[in-house]
């Protein structure tokens, strides 16, 4: 065996030994794990408008936005999204991961400091690592003093715990606030605009593959910042533009989000209901109404075993293990969506209690 093969095989064996080997599994059973919180990924209007746009504009964009990949539908959508966020401009990226890399490698420069919450998403961590600025990782929700001129980076709703950052307090600190709205946009705010809007933050990053049900992400902020991003962000410049039909789908998704506030109200009321039922059943979960509910198991293998037992019973629940979450906190990340019902959630809690007991014995 060649040394490279030997090395990689030994790393794979270590992952297996530590209960960290991932297995892919397509959706099956009742969805308690996706980020399709509003149930928009398969919404008839969105599918129709996307399909019609493919027929009208073709499948691919054929180039970068700064070259032949530019389309009026994306520019119009960016303007609409900026208004949705009450900002001057927005710029669309192919994914939330790329948008976070773009923001953190473009705005902070050598000599700057990025203050980053220890629970921030991998894309924020990677963006900060790739930037030339110094990094300060602060304990969850405790940035301490942030000097003027520094950057303060946080998620508004944390992806693995579902808790909220105190954005109002952060706005009073010195730094330029960068907020990842992956699990807030579409869900919070009177119009679904999220928690970080207007001039209260420097920029927000708004992935469109979660509550919006489609793909990509918008960075929203003042015109001078977005103009600079367009000129300098490498993930924007050196990447083929998204298929134009994606713009039609997101536009339709925003129509649904604005017209049907009951979807977000329903998700949050179902999330409150599930948290209460879990607590009644003696399963400790944080209070709140975000649709992300962590059930901490601890050991990796046990989390995987409980998730597999729930899957067998028809509930699509996934185990989340390190490095996505800190060692010793492997968990079930339960996510609630608008298509569920109290009856299904009550059945799920009963089943979860059984499977957790079986995994103990
Ligand atoms: C907080 C957060 N930011 C960014 C991303 C990346 O977004 P995308 O999936 O569009 O790349 C995710 C996705 O898991 C996320 O949870």
């Amino acid at each position: 065996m060649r040394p490279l093969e030997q090395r990689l095989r030994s790393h794979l064996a270590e992952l297996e030994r530590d209960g960290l080997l991932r297995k892919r599994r397509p959706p099956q059973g009742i969805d308690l794990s996706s980020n399709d919180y509003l149930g928009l990924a398969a919404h008839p209007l969105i599918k129709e408008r996307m399909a019609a746009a493919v027929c009208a504009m073709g499948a691919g964009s054929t180039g970068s936005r700064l070259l032949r990949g530019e389309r009026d539908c994306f520019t119009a959508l960016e303007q609409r999204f900026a208004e949705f966020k009450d900002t001057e401009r927005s710029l669309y990226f192919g994914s939330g991961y790329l948008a976070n890399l773009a923001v953190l490698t473009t705005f902070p420069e050598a000599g700057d400091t990025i203050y980053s919450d220890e629970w921030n998403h991998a894309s924020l961590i990677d963006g900060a690592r790739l930037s030339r600025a110094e990094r300060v990782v602060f304990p969850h929700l405790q940035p301490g003093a942030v000097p003027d001129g520094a950057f303060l980076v946080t998620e508004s709703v944390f992806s693995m715990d579902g808790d909220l950052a105190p954005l109002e307090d952060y706005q009073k600190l010195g730094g330029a606030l960068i907020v990842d709205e992956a699990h807030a946009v579409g869900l919070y705010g009177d119009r679904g605009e999220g928690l970080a809007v207007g001039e209260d933050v420097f920029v927000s990053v708004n992935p469109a593959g979660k509550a919006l049900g489609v793909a990509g992400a918008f960075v929203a902020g003042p015109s001078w910042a977005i103009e600079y991003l367009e000129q300098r962000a490498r993930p924007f410049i050196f990447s083929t533009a998204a298929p134009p039909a994606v713009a039609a789908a997101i536009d339709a998704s925003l129509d649904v989000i604005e017209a049907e506030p009951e979807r977000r109200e329903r998700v949050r009321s179902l999330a409150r209901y599930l948290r209460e039922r879990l607590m009644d059943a003696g399963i400790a979960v944080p209070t709140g109404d975000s649709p992300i509910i962590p059930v901490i198991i601890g050991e990796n293998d046990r989390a995987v075993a409980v998730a597999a037992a729930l899957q067998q019973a028809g509930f699509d629940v996934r185990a989340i293990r390190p490095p996505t979450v800190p060692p010793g906190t492997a968990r079930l990340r339960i996510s609630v969506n608008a298509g569920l019902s109290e009856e299904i959630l009550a059945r799920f809690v009963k089943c979860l209690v059984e499977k957790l007991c079986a995994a103990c014995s």
Side-chain angles (χ1 to χ4, degrees):
M1 213 190 284
R2 297 220 172 106
L4 178 59
E5 182 177 352
Q6 211 167 16
R7 186 171 81 198
L8 301 189
R9 284 189 183 283
S10 108
H11 288 333
L12 285 169
E14 281 161 27
L15 288 175
E16 177 132 47
R17 187 199 61 212
D18 296 341
L20 290 173
L21 206 59
R22 321 276 161 162
K23 293 217 169 69
R24 287 179 287 153
R25 180 181 189 271
Q28 268 169 49
I30 296 169
D31 175 10
L32 284 162
S33 55
S34 83
N35 297 315
D36 186 19
Y37 305 114
L38 300 175
L40 298 187
H43 191 287
L45 175 80
I46 300 173
K47 289 196 290 187
E48 239 168 63
R49 298 247 298 258
M50 188 170 189
V54 170
C55 294
M57 292 186 278
S61 71
T62 78
S64 151
R65 289 281 299 279
L66 293 180
L67 299 171
R68 206 179 150 83
E70 176 62 356
R71 295 292 183 283
D72 289 343
C73 57
F74 267 112
T75 308
L77 179 66
E78 284 164 344
Q79 195 46 46
R80 177 179 186 181
F81 196 84
E83 284 160 23
F84 182 59
K85 295 293 290 187
D86 198 16
T87 56
E88 287 174 347
R89 274 195 65 186
S90 82
L91 192 66
Y92 179 81
F93 289 80
S95 76
Y97 186 96
L98 286 178
N100 279 336
L101 289 197
V103 163
L104 291 174
T105 55
T106 305
F107 296 126
E109 299 180 6
D112 290 338
T113 306
I114 297 172
Y115 286 74
S116 176
D117 191 291
E118 63 177 338
W119 288 6
N120 274 345
H121 187 261
S123 53
L124 294 169
I125 297 172
D126 294 353
R129 282 185 182 148
L130 273 176
S131 93
R132 294 195 169 86
E134 290 291 313
R135 277 188 309 138
V136 174
V137 177
F138 61 83
H140 185 49
L141 306 181
Q142 298 167 56
V146 177
D148 275 339
F151 293 85
L152 173 53
V153 181
T154 186
E155 297 177 33
S156 46
V157 176
F158 282 86
S159 64
M160 292 298 140
D161 289 74
D163 59 334
L164 274 61
L167 294 183
E168 280 183 19
D169 296 346
Y170 288 2
Q171 280 151 23
K172 295 182 200 132
L173 300 174
L177 188 52
I178 295 175
V179 181
D180 180 335
E181 290 258 81
H183 303 280
V185 68
L187 286 171
Y188 288 84
D190 292 344
R191 295 168 295 114
E193 68 275 20
L195 294 165
V197 289
E199 288 166 14
D200 296 341
V201 299
F202 166 46
V203 292
S204 65
V205 178
N206 302 271
K210 301 181 193 296
L212 272 58
V214 189
F218 298 86
V219 180
S223 56
W224 45 270
I226 303 302
E227 167 69 15
Y228 188 67
L229 205 57
E230 182 173 343
Q231 298 303 320
R232 300 305 303 271
R234 294 167 71 85
F236 179 77
I237 300 168
F238 297 107
S239 189
T240 299
V246 169
I250 298 176
D251 196 50
S253 166
L254 292 176
D255 285 348
V256 176
I257 285 171
E258 289 184 334
E260 298 179 19
E262 59 275 15
R263 283 180 184 265
R264 52 185 173 274
E265 281 152 22
R266 179 168 174 76
V267 178
R268 292 178 47 199
S269 123
L270 286 171
R272 275 193 300 271
Y273 175 82
L274 179 56
R275 284 173 199 262
E276 281 162 21
R277 293 293 77 77
L278 288 165
M279 288 197 275
D280 290 348
I283 298 170
V285 290
T287 51
D289 68 355
S290 96
I292 302 166
I293 306 178
V295 174
I296 309 286
I297 306 275
E299 277 170 42
N300 300 334
D301 285 338
R302 213 171 140 237
V304 173
V306 177
L310 289 164
Q311 289 161 9
Q312 280 283 317
F315 296 105
D316 195 350
V317 169
R318 310 288 173 123
I320 307 290
R321 289 164 284 169
T324 312
V325 293
T329 71
R331 67 195 63 189
L332 308 175
R333 175 188 183 270
I334 315 294
S335 59
V336 174
N337 68 72
L340 296 167
S341 65
E342 293 190 353
E343 186 267 319
I344 292 175
L345 294 177
R347 263 198 299 128
F348 166 68
V349 173
K350 201 161 159 271
C351 185
L352 175 61
V353 171
E354 277 168 32
K355 305 303 176 196
L356 283 172
C357 288
C360 284
S361 50

